[in-house]
Amino acid sequence: MKYIGRKALIMLVTVLIVTMLVFLAFRVIPGDPVLNMLGTSATPEKVEQLREQMGLNRPLPVRYIEWLRDFFFGDMGKSYTYGIPVRSMLADKVPITITLTLLAFVFVVAISIPLGIFTAKHEDKWYSKAIDVLNQITMSIPSFFVGMLLTYLFGLILKWFKPGGFVNYKVSPVGFILYLIYPAIAIALPKAAMTVKLLKSSVLKEGKLDYVRTAYSRGNSTDEVLYKHVFKNALIPVITFLGMTLADMVAGSIIVEQVFSIPGLGRLLITSISTRDYPVAQSIIAIIACLVIMINFLVDVLYKMVDPRIR
Amino acid sequence: MKKRFMKNRRLFIGAVITGIMVLLAVAGVFFTPYDPNAMDTSAKLAGISLKHLMGCDNFGRDILSRILSGLGTTMLVALGTVFIGVFFGTIIGAFTGYYGGIPDEVLMRFNDAVLAFPSLLLALVFISVMGAGKLNVTIALGILFIPSYARIMRGEFLRCKNLDYVRSARLMGASDIRIMFVHILPNTVQVMLSTIAIGFNNAVLAEAGMSYLGIGVQPPDSSLGRMLSEAQSYLFIRPGYAVCTGTAIVLLILGFAMLSEGLEKNA
């Protein structure tokens, strides 16, 4: 309990530091937002008035705290480009990105755990070595290129899905998931390859330890030793890695959303960066950052549950 | 040494792939079959032929020439990135590892916070603040590379600072700076090399990703990531365009990844 409390405290501090950095980063941008909004012909009185109205005259720490408070209550300001509240722009984008990331994560786990154990178990066989080579190549393919290959193969040649034909979950939840399968695989494949490699080496390393020999000497079969003893211990470094991977995939989805024209957070972020729509960009980055920090916290908690020795 | 190098198959293959890619990139600076930016309207989206070994893009530019010059851009960005990261990372790592204390604690906590973060996201913050372009991408990625490098170097300096050779150097009256950079630093080369290879790997991946999104390297500089995003529109009629460009990126990353693993094993 003390452990979780400490980790929760660290999480809160990290959220504070990160949001502060994001806030500051968007304050050092050259150019005055007020002048941007009013144009060069604005009178000094008008500029002063709007500045007062937007709260730009007050000290930075005060503005930060107010921004943070508003952010957590869901008030993220208005988009420069569209003039509508950022919150309403983001509301239906967040579930898309989260679903995509979680789906990709499910693929990573579903592919890598069986394959990792399989290659470790048949370490010396030719097919295990072939998988190793394939693995090494797969982890070097950037997810957006995997995405393009999948689009070509399944979208254009086999016509299993329509590239660019994203279906919103409000229209058809099934069509939504069916479309997301391909981008999810694109995100998952390189990460799964890395996980397979890690799990394999972790299992092989554990297999050399004394407790394994003891387990064998008590008459256990290979499978029993593997699944009852080795697997659990070998999983510990893999969990850390998977946690990092999940955080990475949240960001990785930004690129893959672009490949498959999915109107999620990432696509909006890229548009807002290119059009200099700072309130939108700032809010999305802060949201993704908080998601990542929360994932890290959950991994820490899970880690403790798997391995009680950690303090 | 030579025998060990040949025996370490990963290192060998990684070195060969990376060597070839570097050669191609360097060659691309001096010679490309065509001007990478010259448009030939009669050859728009031309297929693979003896005249254009990889065909032409939608503006009639020779793809092979563009890949060669794009390799150069990517390598240059990666080189700059790694240089910034290694330079500042070594200094920070050396001082925090050697002296320890409160500055070390604070810096390492800060490092942890940064490292817990997907680097792509941080790079996007930088780019949205500073604007896109080759130089800004290099600076952004370089700064992002500092924490991971500093942490590794810190570990090395921490490990070495109480070893016998350091103690005897101290007894002989060598200054701290001299001990750090003349005595300890050369002993970290093995770790340094494999970290640098990973750094190249990450830099190539990040640059390609950001250029693909259109917020990395800007035209007229050719970039593999940007070419890939252009190739996507012609995926159906010219899949070769995307495949050739993508393969170049994959080979770069594969080479550096295997090099890094081989070096780690050799250490």
Side-chain angles (χ1 to χ4, degrees), chain B residues 178-199:
Chain B
R178 189 180 162 83
I179 291 176
M180 277 191 263
F181 295 103
V182 179
H183 293 274
I184 300 183
L185 194 62
N187 283 295
T188 61
V189 164
Q190 283 282 2
V191 179
M192 220 164 161
L193 285 178
S194 92
T195 320
I196 287 177
I198 299 180

Side-chain angles (χ1 to χ4, degrees), chain B:
Chain B
M1 181 67 200
K2 201 176 163 193
K3 219 172 174 183
R4 211 167 60 164
F5 181 74
M6 296 298 283
K7 239 177 130 184
N8 190 337
R9 216 180 329 158
R10 263 179 218 285
L11 185 60
F12 182 69
I13 299 175
V16 169
I17 296 178
T18 310
I20 293 175
M21 296 315 270
V22 171
L23 272 180
L24 285 177
V26 172
V29 176
F30 300 105
F31 170 78
T32 49
Y34 292 83
D35 177 353
N37 289 320
M39 302 179 196
D40 178 0
T41 39
S42 65
K44 271 183 191 173
L45 292 171
I48 292 168
S49 65
L50 273 179
K51 220 172 136 198
H52 299 281
L53 286 178
M54 293 182 182
C56 286
D57 71 359
N58 49 316
F59 294 111
R61 297 175 295 194
D62 182 51
I63 291 175
L64 177 62
S65 306
R66 288 184 65 72
I67 288 183
L68 286 178
S69 85
L71 270 180
T73 313
T74 303
M75 292 257 191
L76 204 65
V77 171
L79 203 66
T81 303
V82 170
F83 179 78
I84 296 175
V86 168
F87 185 77
F88 292 102
T90 304
I91 294 178
I92 295 174
F95 278 93
T96 51
Y98 191 79
Y99 290 112
I102 291 174
D104 174 42
E105 274 294 313
V106 173
L107 265 175
M108 285 306 126
R109 287 291 86 73
F110 184 74
N111 253 359
D112 286 346
V114 177
L115 281 177
F117 241 66
S119 49
L120 179 72
L121 194 65
L122 290 173
L124 286 178
V125 177
F126 267 97
I127 294 303
S128 49
V129 172
M130 303 197 302
K134 195 158 75 177
L135 188 65
N136 285 349
V137 171
T138 311
I139 296 174
L141 293 178
I143 293 176
L144 294 181
F145 188 43
I146 296 174
S148 62
Y149 198 78
R151 165 185 278 198
I152 289 166
M153 289 314 279
R154 173 185 175 268
E156 282 295 293
F157 274 83
L158 202 62
R159 184 176 64 82
C160 291
K161 77 174 179 187
N162 282 324
L163 293 184
D164 284 343
Y165 73 90
V166 175
R167 286 186 183 186
S168 58
R170 209 173 284 143
L171 271 179
M172 273 161 35
S175 69
D176 284 350
I177 301 284
R178 189 180 162 83
I179 291 176
M180 277 191 263
F181 295 103
V182 179
H183 293 274
I184 300 183
L185 194 62
N187 283 295
T188 61
V189 164
Q190 283 282 2
V191 179
M192 220 164 161
L193 285 178
S194 92
T195 320
I196 287 177
I198 299 180
F200 266 103
N201 186 350
N202 291 340
V204 169
L205 191 61
E207 188 274 322
M210 295 206 308
S211 300
Y212 174 83
L213 293 175
I215 51 175
V217 174
Q218 300 293 318
D221 284 325
S222 50
S223 134
L224 297 176
R226 205 176 178 86
M227 284 173 71
L228 209 49
S229 89
E230 281 163 13
Q232 198 182 357
S233 323
Y234 305 97
L235 203 54
F236 192 58
I237 37 177
R238 279 284 165 267
Y241 184 8
V243 171
C244 291
T245 316
T247 308
I249 299 178
V250 172
L251 282 177
L252 263 182
I253 296 174
L254 184 66
F256 284 124
M258 294 188 75
L259 204 56
S260 153
E261 276 171 35
L263 285 166
E264 218 164 274
K265 226 173 159 186
N266 230 4

